[in-house]
Amino acid sequence: MRKFTAITGLGLAAALTLSGCSAATEAPATTDESNSSMVVDTVNSDGSALRASLTALLADHVYLAGAAIDQALADGGDLTTADVAGAVETLDTNSVEIAALVGSAYPDAEQPFLDSWRSHIPFFVNYAVAKATDDQAGIDQAMSDLGGYAVSFGQLMNSVVPELSAEDVQAGLETHASSLVAAIDANIAGDPAYFALLKEAAGHMPMTATALAGGIAANKGIQ
């Protein structure tokens, strides 16, 4: 198991509050009868550019989030190191880029999306800290916070893109959270399966991108 020393003062979650962690909506890669809301083909239409951009940014997000948490754990919770600061800054840049992409279709939603996107990364950080220090109450609270966020993010996305079901977005984000938590657990335990689990978590992102791009394309009438 990793050796982790909790630090006082500025907390790990506070330092990463400006980092965003994506909401992963698990959806099929192609339109079928079970997902009738995805009425636009984003593979063979102009929406493919949106899908491709979302895929790249969301996949980057998972790996950057994993890297930031890994570096913070490796440095024993010392948030003053250049490596941790660099990881956090790069992760937040990715969050801003994702929000800007959504904002290119819905300008008024860009800042609310970014605020929401950024807000749940501390829950993953809180989980990692609690897990590393055997704080069961902290683990339970972090998981509860992630569950609550899944609900609120689903509602936000549905309010912006009605073609996206709030319940489907929620379910997808819950899957995303559980897969990333599994990777964090392996990382803390020093289990080499961490790398495969992080890859699995990132593997949800193309499906998420397809669902989001399909909903936006349907809503905006992109052909």
Side-chain angles (χ1 to χ4, degrees):
M1 175 176 289
R2 280 180 180 271
K3 183 178 179 181
F4 183 89
T5 303
I7 63 172
T8 59
L10 179 64
L12 187 58
L16 294 182
T17 296
L18 289 181
S19 303
C21 197
S22 77
T25 305
E26 187 165 3
T30 57
T31 302
D32 59 27
E33 293 181 356
S34 67
N35 195 1
S36 59
S37 66
M38 299 298 100
V39 297
V40 174
D41 178 359
T42 60
V43 175
N44 300 300
S45 74
D46 291 341
S48 61
L50 175 63
R51 176 183 53 80
S53 295
L54 280 170
T55 297
L57 289 172
L58 290 173
D60 282 351
H61 162 73
V62 172
Y63 287 119
L64 290 170
I69 293 172
D70 176 74
Q71 190 61 55
L73 291 170
D75 288 356
D78 182 357
L79 305 176
T80 67
T81 69
D83 287 338
V84 171
V88 170
E89 181 179 359
T90 304
L91 176 56
D92 191 58
T93 297
N94 172 262
S95 298
V96 171
E97 291 170 344
I98 296 170
L101 192 58
V102 173
S104 68
Y106 306 98
D108 292 342
E110 180 172 347
Q111 191 61 48
F113 180 94
L114 180 59
D115 292 342
S116 177
W117 196 278
R118 282 171 163 166
S119 72
H120 84 290
I121 188 63
F123 302 149
F124 283 108
V125 176
N126 291 343
Y127 177 86
V129 171
K131 185 72 175 182
T133 56
D134 296 319
D135 176 6
Q136 187 60 50
I139 291 171
D140 293 342
Q141 184 62 57
M143 293 304 296
S144 176
D145 290 338
L146 285 167
Y149 179 79
V151 174
S152 65
F153 190 80
Q155 293 170 343
L156 172 64
M157 291 307 300
N158 175 254
S159 71
V160 175
V161 188
E163 285 77 5
L164 294 173
S165 161
E167 292 76 14
D168 288 347
V169 174
Q170 175 187 338
L173 187 54
E174 289 168 347
T175 299
H176 169 67
S178 64
S179 64
L180 189 52
V181 162
I184 292 171
D185 286 348
N187 190 11
I188 292 171
D191 185 344
Y194 164 68
F195 301 101
L197 289 169
L198 188 63
K199 181 176 182 294
E200 181 179 333
H204 292 294
M205 297 302 99
M207 294 181 288
T208 299
T210 297
L212 292 176
I216 292 171
N219 182 259
K220 303 299 287 187
I222 298 174
Q223 299 298 322

